[in-house]
Amino acid sequence: MFVFVCAGCGADLTAPLGQVPLPVHAHQHYGNGIQLPVLMEPGTFAVEPEPWGPPWRRWADIDPGEAEARGVFAPVHALSDGAPGAVVIAPGESHGTVLIPENRGSGYCCGLDGASGPNLACAACGRPVATRIDDCSLWQAVWLDPTAVRRVPVAGAEAPPLSWAELMRSGEGTPPFEPLTQWGSRPEEQWWASWSPRWEAAAGRALAHLLVASDGRPVTVPDGLVADVFRSTLDALLPVGPPPRHAVLAGPGLPGPEADVDILLVPIHPQTGRTWAPAEWAASASLVPLPFGVWRSMAFPEPYLPVPRSGRMPAGVRPEEDYPLPPPRHHPPFRVDGAIFRATLVRLPAVRTPWLRELLDHQRRF
């Protein structure tokens, strides 16, 4: 556990927090005017290992050797020249800060988007220390500037991370559908069931790994939610004809995959960030990582309970908490988050192979 303090005066800026992996949807921009919830769980923080935020440099101004040294192997619109190691927390976990007046209203639509850099200052000394994000279509968060804060360990015993078996007993999945609202609307007054933005982000990252693991051959996936998420996109992007590679879900609580399986969709531990490892005999299979909650809901889908077909939800009932949402009656096909797909693929060295580079150059929104 750590408390983050101002690097200038040492004032506390957060409650005690424990580190977890950076969510795959941390930088997601979803829809237009959509009210997204808080990014981080209470009591947690995550670290962005790469530079992020202003100032930005366009790709034309960056030497390819410099980009590869930073782990970027194909062109992108721009690269950040900000400091690596930004720390993201839930807005409710920060304290001892005040808004910087000249930055509070720049580059926003419905709230703050941080386009002009830090907009929170240490209340004790006035040093800019963080950026509050709460604009529409962005996940609500506070990003601490790694050059303006430092972490201080908190004394006391820490609980060890849960084992995979303990996670399976206590962890919950991430539902594939969730209620969305327009900015400024109350959930009980105007909401609709949609594919989860978290699923679209997770699928964007996983698709990049699936394409690399395909070696340019077709990929088969099992029926159910895995097929709903990946099949049509894989069929559209990969050729028809060569012998296919077979991808299946694998992980705790599932039987071992069959011998002819080439690709395993596996969970990432939500506390440590480690990828589940298969038994030795399946170690040669390519691993495609999925956030634990998404993987769990794919592997063990929950039955859907009835919800009101019309009118308001009953008083005191929150649909996202008390009812697993059913698939919308005429929901559109699943769409992978194209921006997260591209951001993942350009950071995989295999993108330099001709067929993947051509796919990336011609890829548009899914």
Side-chain angles (χ1 to χ4, degrees):
M1 301 291 287
F2 299 91
V3 167
F4 290 87
V5 303
C6 175
C9 68
D12 287 356
L13 300 176
T14 72
L17 305 170
Q19 185 168 2
V20 297
L22 183 72
V24 65
H25 52 283
H27 302 299
Q28 185 180 35
H29 188 287
Y30 190 83
N32 182 26
I34 305 298
Q35 184 174 352
L36 292 177
V38 173
L39 174 67
M40 300 299 296
E41 293 292 328
T44 68
F45 74 93
V47 176
E48 169 57 83
E50 298 185 19
W52 190 262
W56 298 86
R57 272 194 295 159
R58 297 180 63 86
W59 181 258
D61 301 325
I62 300 169
D63 182 85
E66 178 190 352
E68 289 203 6
R70 293 177 57 171
V72 179
F73 302 99
V76 294
H77 176 68
L79 281 178
S80 169
D81 270 350
V87 175
V88 62
I89 64 175
E93 300 292 355
S94 68
H95 55 74
T97 61
V98 294
L99 277 172
I100 301 174
E102 56 268 28
N103 279 0
R104 64 181 300 176
S106 59
Y108 71 95
C109 177
C110 300
L112 303 172
D113 71 356
S116 298
N119 54 28
L120 293 177
C122 173
C125 69
R127 180 189 181 102
V129 291
T131 302
R132 171 70 185 264
I133 304 291
D134 58 15
D135 201 4
C136 60
S137 299
L138 300 175
W139 291 86
Q140 298 179 47
V142 167
W143 290 85
L144 302 175
D145 184 342
T147 67
V149 303
R150 55 186 176 88
R151 65 173 77 177
V152 177
V154 177
E158 293 190 22
L162 298 176
S163 67
W164 287 109
E166 290 170 331
L167 273 176
M168 292 302 296
R169 290 194 296 269
S170 63
E172 297 181 357
T174 301
F177 300 96
E178 61 180 277
L180 295 179
T181 66
Q182 291 286 343
W183 187 262
S185 300
R186 295 181 179 179
E188 67 270 18
E189 292 180 346
Q190 182 183 350
W191 65 273
W192 67 95
S194 170
W195 283 106
S196 167
R198 304 167 216 256
W199 275 60
E200 295 185 14
R205 180 174 65 182
L207 178 64
H209 289 277
L210 275 168
L211 291 178
V212 170
S214 75
D215 288 332
R217 294 158 51 186
V219 172
T220 67
V221 294
D223 293 335
L225 283 170
V226 180
D228 291 342
V229 170
F230 294 114
R231 183 174 288 163
S232 63
T233 304
L234 289 171
D235 290 348
L237 296 179
L238 294 172
V240 177
R245 306 201 81 199
H246 304 290
V248 299
L249 288 162
L254 291 177
E258 298 178 1
D260 64 343
V261 169
D262 308 289
I263 303 169
L264 302 179
L265 298 159
V266 298
I268 299 171
H269 197 288
Q271 295 172 315
T272 67
R274 294 177 182 172
T275 302
W276 180 86
E280 285 188 17
W281 63 270
S284 61
S286 300
L287 302 184
V288 173
L290 286 168
F292 178 79
V294 172
W295 174 89
R296 182 186 174 99
S297 290
M298 281 187 176
F300 305 97
E302 294 284 341
Y304 292 109
L305 300 177
V307 298
R309 292 181 179 270
S310 63
R312 296 187 178 186
M313 298 292 291
V317 173
R318 293 182 60 85
E320 69 272 24
E321 295 176 359
D322 297 295
Y323 290 93
L325 288 177
R329 187 170 296 177
H330 299 291
H331 69 275
F334 185 89
R335 295 188 67 175
V336 170
D337 191 303
I340 292 176
F341 164 74
R342 290 188 295 273
T344 303
L345 189 56
V346 300
R347 287 167 173 79
L348 299 177
V351 73
R352 294 175 292 192
T353 58
W355 77 272
L356 271 176
R357 179 59 186 273
E358 182 180 3
L359 183 151
L360 180 69
D361 290 343
H362 292 87
Q363 184 266 327
R364 297 294 183 264
R365 292 180 61 87
F366 293 106

